[in-house]
Amino acid sequence: MEETIKDLQASGDVLFLMLGAVMVFAMHAGFAFLEVGSVRKKNQVNGLCKIICDWGISTIVYFLVGFPIAYGISFLKPASGLLGVSQGFELVHFFFLLAFAACIPAIISGGIAERAKFWPQALAGGIFVGFVYPFFESLVWGKNLLLGQEGSWLAGLTGGIPFHDYAGSVVVHSIGGWLALPAIIILGPRIGRYKGEKSTWIKVSSLPFLALGSWILTVGWFGFNVMSAQSLTGISGLVAINSLMAMVGGIIAALVVSKNDAAFIHNGALAGLIAICAGSDVVHPLGALAIGACGAVIFVFGFEVETEKYRIDDVLGVWPLHGIVGSF
Amino acid sequence: MEETIKDLQASGDVLFLMLGAVMVFAMHAGFAFLEVGSVRKKNQVNGLCKIICDWGISTIVYFLVGFPIAYGISFLKPASGLLGVSQGFELVHFFFLLAFAACIPAIISGGIAERAKFWPQALAGGIFVGFVYPFFESLVWGKNLLLGQEGSWLAGLTGGIPFHDYAGSVVVHSIGGWLALPAIIILGPRIGRYKGEKSTWIKVSSLPFLALGSWILTVGWFGFNVMSAQSLTGISGLVAINSLMAMVGGIIAALVVSKNDAAFIHNGALAGLIAICAGSDVVHPLGALAIGACGAVIFVFGFEVETEKYRIDDVLGVWPLHGIVGSF
Amino acid sequence: MEETIKDLQASGDVLFLMLGAVMVFAMHAGFAFLEVGSVRKKNQVNGLCKIICDWGISTIVYFLVGFPIAYGISFLKPASGLLGVSQGFELVHFFFLLAFAACIPAIISGGIAERAKFWPQALAGGIFVGFVYPFFESLVWGKNLLLGQEGSWLAGLTGGIPFHDYAGSVVVHSIGGWLALPAIIILGPRIGRYKGEKSTWIKVSSLPFLALGSWILTVGWFGFNVMSAQSLTGISGLVAINSLMAMVGGIIAALVVSKNDAAFIHNGALAGLIAICAGSDVVHPLGALAIGACGAVIFVFGFEVETEKYRIDDVLGVWPLHGIVGSF
């Protein structure tokens, strides 16, 4: 009977993390449609190819290089040994973390949309997922005891308080957003975006597709945040509600601040969710509401300052969205 | 070991209800795209904003006012106290019931599409979700022992038979549909819909988006019905199959009765699902098939009588769909 | 306490299979949008109706005839008896296998898109799901001990090695693909597709919808493959990862071989997933990567040979996709 319980627990954990992985994988469809809706019509197909191919390259690179760097676990052994005693929990764990890692090129892709050549971007994405991101990841969640772990260097420094990032506000979104910024600046604005003094707003091509992307992302986000518990018995209803409240804070704040602009409202939900990732397991739901609202306000004003004052043509607003909001 | 089992059970319940809540939350994307596909092109963006903002307002109002009214549970206490001993089950329970409550403005929105001003509608939605709906809810499922509970007033009257509404046919759909009717009548038809004697059919703008909305709703509906068990061990395969059969009954009946009209077929699936909500835990699958078929037939004829004879311009047919079918 | 464990196990199994069934059901939305995106604009609505109505007809026929043929279980008994001691596990099992069975008309539909009349096709679909498919199914997974079961005729012949098809590469995809081939040939090419010597490529109408269909299918596929374990404690992380790797192999191979063609890339992911279904529980992830890549290469070249050399106008490429790749 004891064995039945262990079996149930192990299977429950695998199912739990698998559902999370699939939900975060589905978020990549959200990235794709957010970009499809935001870019000009002629670049829609291009955006779709980029996202799905980046996913493919990320998987291979993270499987072979990134995951071993971050956690010291390699899968280059016979298939029978991979399942182990835990019904392949490590494999599903890889899938879950891969879905996080692959967000990096997807986030950057949104920033440099309509300008980057396919192969250089794919190559850069591969390097980020294979080397740069796993290095940061290992510092916070992984095997290099520096920032995030109990007993890490930072925890020693602060008397036992490690760096707290429950679902990757910093690890995923900040890194993605800040990596995107130089890329956007180097590539320069899209042709026709700024003419002399004049700043010409390029309309989104399809708000329904943009909204579809946003909806897919918000739904998948519950997998991103809730399943960050990484085991069934670690599940917390508070994380789910805080994600919900932050999203709502983002929606309402964006509605008010942007004066009812549909694109900002749908991105505001995402800004709220990004802002809450790190603290979603500790704050009160009303705190989450406020954090989400702040995230969206920062996003809306940040986007305007960035694109008008500094004239950085960030198509999907990824630097203010992921970079600033994630750091905050 | 006993503790492990209790842990597993509590976590299983939280996961179960969380999945349900996320699925019903995803249904709101379905409402959005059903409306996008059904309205004229110029009002697509408007519809998208309404649904997502209604969700935001509903969340805040139901959190602060509605849920306490219906169940007497308030969350205005420290975050550490919220998790309690059940890993935040009450919070997820709130999320699940919120997703139900927020259907009310979403349903009404479909009926008055293309006419209502943004803020008055948002305000009205907030009042419905914060006060009107929770009051009805409390009578059937909640703390006011009137209709639905064992030991309620109605059960006393009928000798122990309380009002049976497993997944909210009446509580959600009837109320939504009947509340929508006066709103539609007061606002009057869209300009150009009826000219003197002539009734001009306004074409749906995008059948693919309408179908997308319908598909999202049908998939999410399994969360709506199955997770109404509200605990993992209460799950019932019969509820799943009855939902399936009623949906199929709705599809086939709408196909035959409407003579192969795409919009009716996709709405027929929803009519079938609405009809079965209340009884999905007791009837036989073949009975569910018949109930679903009746639901779709009532919807198709009801819609024609309503829009042609009574000249009520109900864009998404929410009164016959939710109001009549839900009551039946 | 022992009872609690049994309850948990039974409920876990029902939930597990229900999630799988809903995910595979959602795949039918994927079929619908893959077809919407691939056909000409005027036939989009038609495609949507076909898929949803085929689902309806399949459900009724498989419930009444197909499932009893394949597994010898009939549901024509009182509702109270249906739940049994396992909370309706058999019913959810039926739902899961129905979602597989209904893929047959959906696959065929893609091949003969834009030509078939509605009712003849619906009738043929019903016959396939009600009789032809369940017969094959019974041989491999069901009650007729011929190929797939331990103790079957084939296992006796080969000394205990039954035919291995974990998630239906052959049972679902090969049968679907090969049944489609004669239908496509008999119906002949679409008008204007081949003119004398000239082969005129008919452009896909909407790549975003095609991509949406592909994304829905890939996400749902994890339900298709992982939940083929059919019980919670049988879950295997290896199956999830192998599905992932085969999909990625398909994407990358299609990207290289088709020289960056968006439609091929998105179908390549599906080709990879089809190729891995049968062996997803035994091979190594790197093997899965290779199998997926082969699947996509076969698909891309097979499609070109089929449509150019043999001039078979297979709109969605279902014969090379499901027929050849599935057999392989």
Side-chain angles (χ1 to χ4, degrees):
Chain A
M1 198 178 78
E2 201 157 334
E3 203 151 317
T4 318
I5 299 173
K6 270 196 190 143
D7 252 26
L8 268 177
Q9 204 170 6
S11 309
D13 285 353
V14 173
L15 175 65
F16 182 72
L17 215 53
M18 207 275 302
L19 289 175
V22 171
M23 285 170 83
V24 184
F25 167 55
M27 286 174 70
H28 287 261
F31 284 121
F33 284 97
L34 199 66
E35 187 164 335
V36 164
S38 301
V39 300
R40 281 168 292 180
K41 191 143 187 151
K42 62 172 177 171
N43 287 316
Q44 285 183 341
V45 172
N46 197 14
L48 286 168
C49 288
K50 263 195 317 178
I51 298 282
I52 197 171
C53 291
D54 275 346
W55 171 267
I57 293 166
S58 298
T59 304
I60 297 175
V61 174
Y62 196 67
F63 186 83
L64 295 177
V65 188
F67 194 67
I69 287 181
Y71 300 94
I73 298 168
S74 166
F75 295 127
L76 300 177
K77 53 186 173 183
S80 54
L82 282 177
L83 272 176
V85 289
S86 56
Q87 301 183 288
F89 181 79
E90 273 312 323
L91 290 164
V92 182
H93 194 198
F94 156 76
F95 185 8
F96 186 66
L97 290 167
L98 159 69
F100 276 58
C103 290
I104 302 281
I107 290 169
I108 298 176
S109 159
I112 57 177
E114 311 200 45
R115 279 153 293 170
K117 285 228 162 61
F118 184 82
W119 282 107
Q121 177 174 353
L123 188 71
I127 292 170
F128 287 136
V129 174
F131 301 94
V132 182
Y133 171 77
F135 177 70
F136 281 100
E137 192 182 10
S138 74
L139 301 181
V140 180
W141 293 332
K143 66 172 180 179
N144 292 326
L145 303 176
L146 188 71
L147 300 171
Q149 307 86 345
E150 283 177 40
S152 66
W153 172 80
L154 182 69
L157 214 72
T158 57
I161 308 167
F163 181 70
H164 185 76
D165 192 357
Y166 188 72
S169 264
V170 173
V171 172
V172 178
H173 300 290
S174 281
I175 294 180
W178 283 100
L179 282 177
L181 184 59
I184 299 166
I185 296 175
I186 291 169
L187 284 167
R190 287 170 292 176
I191 295 165
R193 177 72 179 81
Y194 304 108
K195 272 185 191 151
E197 290 295 297
K198 231 180 71 204
S199 153
T200 315
W201 181 247
I202 297 175
K203 261 189 64 175
V204 304
S205 65
S206 165
L207 213 108
F209 279 126
L210 188 155
L212 178 63
S214 169
W215 274 103
I216 297 174
L217 284 165
T218 52
V219 170
W221 221 294
F222 287 93
F224 198 95
N225 283 3
V226 174
M227 273 70 167
S228 281
Q230 306 200 357
S231 81
L232 175 55
T233 49
I235 194 172
S236 153
L238 187 60
V239 172
I241 297 309
N242 281 341
S243 307
L244 169 67
M245 295 304 270
M247 178 181 74
V248 164
I251 293 168
I252 301 298
L255 165 68
V256 173
V257 174
S258 78
K259 302 201 185 66
N260 210 343
D261 177 273
F264 274 126
I265 294 171
H266 284 89
N267 276 304
L270 307 181
L273 283 162
I274 290 166
I276 200 60
C277 281
S280 57
D281 57 336
V282 285
V283 301
H284 188 274
L286 291 178
L289 189 72
I291 290 173
C294 292
V297 171
I298 293 175
F299 165 63
V300 173
F301 287 122
F303 183 73
E304 276 166 13
V305 169
E306 178 195 22
T307 53
E308 294 306 325
K309 192 160 167 212
Y310 295 107
R311 315 195 101 190
I312 299 170
D313 185 15
D314 184 353
V315 181
L316 272 70
V318 303
W319 179 65
L321 186 59
H322 297 272
I324 313 191
V325 176
S327 306
F328 158 80
Chain B
M1 198 178 75
E2 201 156 334
E3 203 151 316
T4 317
I5 299 173
K6 269 195 191 143
D7 253 26
L8 268 177
Q9 205 170 6
S11 309
D13 284 352
V14 174
L15 175 64
F16 182 72
L17 215 53
M18 207 276 300
L19 289 175
V22 171
M23 285 170 84
V24 184
F25 167 55
M27 285 174 70
H28 287 260
F31 284 121
F33 284 96
L34 198 66
E35 186 164 336
V36 164
S38 301
V39 301
R40 281 166 293 178
K41 191 145 188 150
K42 61 172 178 171
N43 287 316
Q44 286 184 340
V45 172
N46 196 15
L48 286 168
C49 288
K50 262 193 318 177
I51 298 280
I52 197 169
C53 291
D54 276 346
W55 171 266
I57 292 164
S58 299
T59 304
I60 296 174
V61 174
Y62 195 69
F63 186 83
L64 294 176
V65 187
F67 195 68
I69 286 181
Y71 300 94
I73 298 167
S74 166
F75 296 127
L76 300 176
K77 53 186 171 184
S80 55
L82 282 177
L83 272 176
V85 289
S86 56
Q87 302 184 288
F89 181 79
E90 272 312 322
L91 290 164
V92 183
H93 194 198
F94 156 75
F95 186 8
F96 186 65
L97 290 167
L98 158 68
F100 276 58
C103 290
I104 302 281
I107 290 169
I108 298 175
S109 159
I112 57 177
E114 312 198 46
R115 277 154 295 170
K117 285 228 162 61
F118 184 82
W119 282 108
Q121 177 173 355
L123 188 71
I127 292 169
F128 287 137
V129 173
F131 301 93
V132 182
Y133 171 78
F135 177 70
F136 281 101
E137 192 182 9
S138 74
L139 301 181
V140 180
W141 294 331
K143 64 172 180 179
N144 292 326
L145 302 176
L146 188 71
L147 299 173
Q149 307 85 345
E150 283 178 40
S152 65
W153 172 81
L154 182 69
L157 213 73
T158 55
I161 308 167
F163 181 69
H164 184 76
D165 192 355
Y166 188 72
S169 265
V170 172
V171 172
V172 178
H173 300 289
S174 281
I175 294 180
W178 282 100
L179 282 176
L181 184 60
I184 299 166
I185 295 174
I186 292 168
L187 284 167
R190 289 169 291 176
I191 294 165
R193 177 72 180 82
Y194 304 108
K195 272 184 190 152
E197 291 295 296
K198 232 180 69 202
S199 154
T200 314
W201 183 248
I202 296 175
K203 261 189 65 175
V204 305
S205 66
S206 165
L207 214 108
F209 279 126
L210 187 155
L212 178 62
S214 168
W215 274 104
I216 296 174
L217 285 165
T218 52
V219 170
W221 221 293
F222 287 93
F224 198 96
N225 282 3
V226 174
M227 272 68 167
S228 281
Q230 306 201 359
S231 81
L232 175 55
T233 50
I235 195 173
S236 153
L238 187 61
V239 173
I241 298 309
N242 280 342
S243 307
L244 169 67
M245 295 303 269
M247 178 182 74
V248 164
I251 294 168
I252 301 298
L255 165 69
V256 173
V257 174
S258 79
K259 301 199 188 66
N260 210 342
D261 177 273
F264 274 127
I265 293 172
H266 284 88
N267 276 304
L270 307 180
L273 283 162
I274 290 166
I276 200 61
C277 280
S280 57
D281 57 336
V282 284
V283 301
H284 187 275
L286 291 178
L289 188 72
I291 290 172
C294 291
V297 171
I298 292 173
F299 164 64
V300 173
F301 286 123
F303 184 73
E304 276 167 12
V305 169
E306 178 195 22
T307 54
E308 295 307 323
K309 194 159 167 213
Y310 294 108
R311 315 195 100 191
I312 300 170
D313 185 15
D314 183 354
V315 181
L316 274 69
V318 303
W319 179 64
L321 187 58
H322 298 272
I324 312 192
V325 176
S327 307
F328 158 80
Chain C
M1 199 176 76
E2 201 158 333
E3 204 152 316
T4 317
I5 299 173
K6 268 194 192 146
D7 253 26
L8 269 177
Q9 205 170 6
S11 308
D13 284 352
V14 173
L15 175 64
F16 182 72
L17 215 53
M18 207 275 300
L19 289 175
V22 171
M23 286 170 83
V24 184
F25 167 54
M27 286 174 70
H28 288 260
F31 285 120
F33 284 97
L34 198 66
E35 186 163 336
V36 165
S38 302
V39 300
R40 281 168 293 179
K41 191 144 188 151
K42 61 171 178 172
N43 287 316
Q44 285 183 341
V45 172
N46 196 14
L48 286 168
C49 288
K50 263 193 320 176
I51 298 281
I52 197 170
C53 292
D54 275 346
W55 171 266
I57 293 165
S58 298
T59 304
I60 296 174
V61 174
Y62 196 68
F63 186 83
L64 295 176
V65 188
F67 195 67
I69 286 181
Y71 301 94
I73 298 168
S74 167
F75 295 128
L76 300 176
K77 53 185 173 185
S80 55
L82 281 177
L83 272 176
V85 289
S86 56
Q87 301 184 287
F89 182 79
E90 273 312 323
L91 290 165
V92 182
H93 195 199
F94 156 75
F95 186 7
F96 186 65
L97 290 166
L98 158 68
F100 276 57
C103 290
I104 303 281
I107 290 169
I108 298 175
S109 159
I112 57 178
E114 312 199 44
R115 277 153 294 169
K117 285 229 162 63
F118 184 83
W119 282 107
Q121 177 174 352
L123 188 72
I127 293 169
F128 286 138
V129 173
F131 301 94
V132 181
Y133 171 78
F135 177 70
F136 280 102
E137 193 182 9
S138 74
L139 302 181
V140 179
W141 294 332
K143 65 172 181 180
N144 292 325
L145 304 175
L146 188 70
L147 299 172
Q149 306 85 344
E150 283 177 40
S152 66
W153 171 80
L154 183 69
L157 214 72
T158 56
I161 308 168
F163 181 70
H164 183 76
D165 192 355
Y166 188 71
S169 265
V170 173
V171 173
V172 178
H173 300 289
S174 282
I175 294 180
W178 282 100
L179 282 176
L181 184 60
I184 299 166
I185 295 175
I186 291 168
L187 284 166
R190 288 170 291 176
I191 295 165
R193 176 72 180 84
Y194 303 109
K195 272 184 191 152
E197 290 296 297
K198 231 180 70 204
S199 154
T200 314
W201 181 247
I202 297 174
K203 260 189 65 175
V204 303
S205 65
S206 165
L207 214 107
F209 279 125
L210 187 155
L212 178 62
S214 169
W215 273 104
I216 297 174
L217 284 166
T218 52
V219 170
W221 221 292
F222 287 93
F224 198 96
N225 282 3
V226 174
M227 273 69 166
S228 281
Q230 307 202 357
S231 82
L232 175 55
T233 49
I235 196 173
S236 155
L238 187 59
V239 173
I241 298 309
N242 281 341
S243 307
L244 169 67
M245 295 304 269
M247 179 182 73
V248 165
I251 293 168
I252 301 297
L255 165 68
V256 173
V257 173
S258 78
K259 301 200 187 66
N260 210 343
D261 177 273
F264 274 127
I265 294 172
H266 284 88
N267 276 303
L270 307 181
L273 283 162
I274 291 166
I276 201 60
C277 280
S280 57
D281 56 336
V282 285
V283 301
H284 188 275
L286 291 179
L289 189 73
I291 290 173
C294 291
V297 171
I298 292 174
F299 164 63
V300 173
F301 286 123
F303 184 73
E304 276 166 13
V305 168
E306 179 195 20
T307 53
E308 294 306 323
K309 193 157 166 216
Y310 294 108
R311 315 194 101 191
I312 300 169
D313 185 16
D314 182 354
V315 180
L316 272 70
V318 303
W319 179 65
L321 187 58
H322 297 272
I324 313 192
V325 175
S327 306
F328 158 80

